[in-house]
Amino acid sequence: MTKAISKDKTIQGLLSNYKNQIALALTKHMNADRMARISLTVIRKNKKLEECNPISLFGAIIQASQVGLEVGIHSHLVPFYNSKPKQMEVQMIADYRGLMHLARNSGDISSISANVVYDADKFD
């Protein structure tokens, strides 16, 4: 129990100490306090993230901030084992809502939608 609490404080401290870095990376419509809070909530929900390299965790949060995707809503922090350094690391992965959000914000498309496609469906 103590180990998890100390790691949690380390992660919370990392987010708090580098909130200005998050703010610099964020797009105009986002807020550093909100990004830090939702990131901490996502980390607390997935204990595997607490086992990851803190630098890769922070990097994934910064990456989501740079492209304007909130973690847990449009993107996800996913733990992976990296066999070269033999440690758990985090990658930010945008989900379909995040990809649609980025497409809309690009200004290059007029509309976009997502629908379920089943095995036997034909579509364009």
Side-chain angles (χ1 to χ4, degrees), residues 19-70:
K19 201 179 293 183
N20 61 340
Q21 295 298 318
I22 294 171
L24 291 172
L26 285 170
T27 58
K28 292 183 196 293
H29 73 280
M30 296 177 76
N31 175 296
D33 287 323
R34 176 172 165 76
M35 183 61 120
R37 274 193 319 274
I38 61 175
S39 296
L40 189 57
T41 300
V42 167
I43 293 163
R44 286 181 174 158
K45 284 182 174 181
N46 185 345
K47 297 299 179 192
K48 285 278 188 196
L49 291 171
E50 293 179 6
E51 299 169 12
C52 293
N53 176 320
I55 295 169
S56 72
L57 177 60
F58 183 67
I61 294 167
I62 291 293
Q63 185 182 13
S65 300
Q66 287 174 330
V67 295
L69 301 177
E70 289 184 346

Side-chain angles (χ1 to χ4, degrees), residues 10-116:
T10 302
I11 292 166
Q12 188 171 5
L14 182 70
L15 288 171
S16 179
N17 291 340
Y18 291 99
K19 201 179 293 183
N20 61 340
Q21 295 298 318
I22 294 171
L24 291 172
L26 285 170
T27 58
K28 292 183 196 293
H29 73 280
M30 296 177 76
N31 175 296
D33 287 323
R34 176 172 165 76
M35 183 61 120
R37 274 193 319 274
I38 61 175
S39 296
L40 189 57
T41 300
V42 167
I43 293 163
R44 286 181 174 158
K45 284 182 174 181
N46 185 345
K47 297 299 179 192
K48 285 278 188 196
L49 291 171
E50 293 179 6
E51 299 169 12
C52 293
N53 176 320
I55 295 169
S56 72
L57 177 60
F58 183 67
I61 294 167
I62 291 293
Q63 185 182 13
S65 300
Q66 287 174 330
V67 295
L69 301 177
E70 289 184 346
V71 294
I73 299 170
H74 294 116
S75 65
H76 305 279
L77 302 176
V78 182
F80 287 97
Y81 182 74
N82 186 338
S83 60
K84 280 194 176 188
K86 296 185 173 140
Q87 64 183 1
M88 293 294 291
E89 295 183 344
V90 180
Q91 291 184 12
M92 184 279 295
I93 298 180
D95 63 17
Y96 78 95
R97 293 169 297 212
L99 295 174
M100 288 173 52
H101 178 77
L102 293 174
R104 278 190 205 98
N105 288 348
S106 73
D108 292 338
I109 61 167
S110 58
S111 71
I112 189 170
S113 65
N115 296 299
V116 177

